[in-house]
Amino acid sequence: MAKVLVVEDEAVLRETIAYNLKSAGHDVQTVEDGEAALSAVNQVRPDLVVLDIMLPTIDGFDVCRQIRRTSSIPILILTARDDEIDRVVGLEIGADDYLTKPFSMRELMARVKALLRRRDLLQDELAAGLPESPDIIRTGDLEIDLGAHRVTVAGNEVSLKPREWDLLVFLARHPGQVCSSNQILQNVWGEDFFGDSRTVAVHVHGLREKLEIGQDGQRYIETVRGVGYRFAV
Ligand code: CA
């Protein structure tokens, strides 16, 4: 459960968002304009900010930029007009995600959950004192250079699609551990993706074909029948 600051000048929408967040167990503060938002961020120290763009006093763009000068808390932007969307997507204002009005409360709650989850994972890693992930993961002939975003097998570069790369890196970061299709879907595709184990199977298959030319297809990524997949160590 988290402290969430909701910045929205439309009363009905503000209260609806607050109601839904409270129902999910969050500690919610609401403000109606940009100036109040900035002082609330300093006083309340929220874990997440839901931030409308068109606001009295200081608009959401400036609020977002100013928060980013001192804090990396997740910011979910709410936009109404197409020209705002262009600016949100096109400009580096430092938001983590955005929703276009009108949106469903279900959609909002899913985004909030995903942002908080991402934050928790980062904090867990920090708390555990884990060093930065190793830059290069090697097993057998396979080498994954995380910094250079490059995969080679026996020195030959393999070209992967973005999703294949994400899938490979996720498995490789859990060597020897069985990852279920659900875990893979949540971590590689994200919580909002409605897919099933078939999606994962298709991508594992594609990945194996690229990594394991002339091999039996289970050299790096093993199938654990009925459970999931395991990156071989
Ligand atoms: Ca507004």
Side-chain angles (χ1 to χ4, degrees):
M1 301 309 103
K3 275 193 280 184
V4 183
L5 176 67
V6 178
V7 188
E8 170 60 72
D9 58 324
E10 292 162 52
V12 174
L13 183 55
R14 182 176 65 243
E15 292 316 315
T16 309
I17 293 172
Y19 173 80
N20 279 272
L21 288 167
K22 281 177 190 162
S23 301
H26 297 300
D27 180 0
V28 184
Q29 287 260 334
T30 58
V31 291
E32 303 169 25
D33 66 76
E35 221 175 289
L38 287 173
S39 59
V41 165
N42 287 325
Q43 281 162 18
V44 180
R45 303 257 157 224
D47 299 305
L48 181 140
V49 182
V50 178
L51 178 64
D52 183 34
I53 286 291
M54 294 298 279
L55 290 170
T57 67
I58 305 172
D59 75 13
F61 291 115
D62 282 335
V63 172
C64 191
R65 279 191 210 101
Q66 291 197 39
I67 292 174
R68 273 294 169 267
R69 280 185 202 150
T70 57
S71 165
S72 60
I73 45 169
I75 300 174
L76 173 61
I77 293 272
L78 308 179
T79 73
R81 303 195 321 251
D82 285 349
D83 53 333
E84 287 176 3
I85 299 167
D86 288 346
R87 289 184 66 197
V88 170
V89 177
L91 284 179
E92 285 291 314
I93 60 164
D96 296 276
D97 201 356
Y98 72 97
L99 272 175
T100 312
K101 295 178 184 179
F103 51 83
S104 71
M105 282 302 133
R106 189 173 165 276
E107 214 177 338
L108 175 95
M109 296 306 290
R111 301 293 179 92
V112 164
K113 197 174 158 199
L115 285 172
L116 288 173
R117 192 163 168 280
R118 209 186 292 167
R119 179 204 61 142
D120 288 347
L121 286 176
L122 283 174
Q123 286 186 345
D124 285 354
E125 279 183 18
L126 288 176
L130 292 179
E132 300 277 300
S133 310
D135 285 345
I136 295 181
I137 298 171
R138 287 191 190 90
T139 181
D141 286 341
L142 175 67
E143 188 176 291
I144 308 165
D145 187 332
L146 298 167
H149 215 279
R150 190 163 177 268
V151 177
T152 55
V153 175
N156 301 311
E157 184 159 1
V158 181
S159 150
L160 298 182
K161 292 181 190 152
R163 198 73 87 181
E164 291 170 338
W165 165 265
D166 291 346
L167 174 62
L168 178 63
V169 169
F170 176 72
L171 291 169
R173 278 185 166 149
H174 301 84
Q177 201 178 312
V178 182
C179 301
S180 72
S181 295
N182 260 338
Q183 278 174 313
I184 294 171
L185 275 174
Q186 281 195 6
N187 285 281
V188 176
W189 275 264
E191 300 229 333
D192 294 340
F193 182 80
F194 295 98
D196 56 22
S197 57
R198 181 85 201 121
T199 311
V200 179
V202 167
H203 282 78
V204 167
H205 179 75
L207 195 51
R208 279 183 182 145
E209 291 215 312
K210 290 186 178 178
L211 298 181
E212 315 202 1
I213 295 163
Q215 302 291 331
D216 62 0
Q218 297 243 355
R219 197 167 167 213
Y220 300 116
I221 303 168
E222 297 165 12
T223 301
V224 182
R225 200 163 279 284
V227 188
Y229 302 92
R230 178 168 54 204
F231 188 77
V233 274

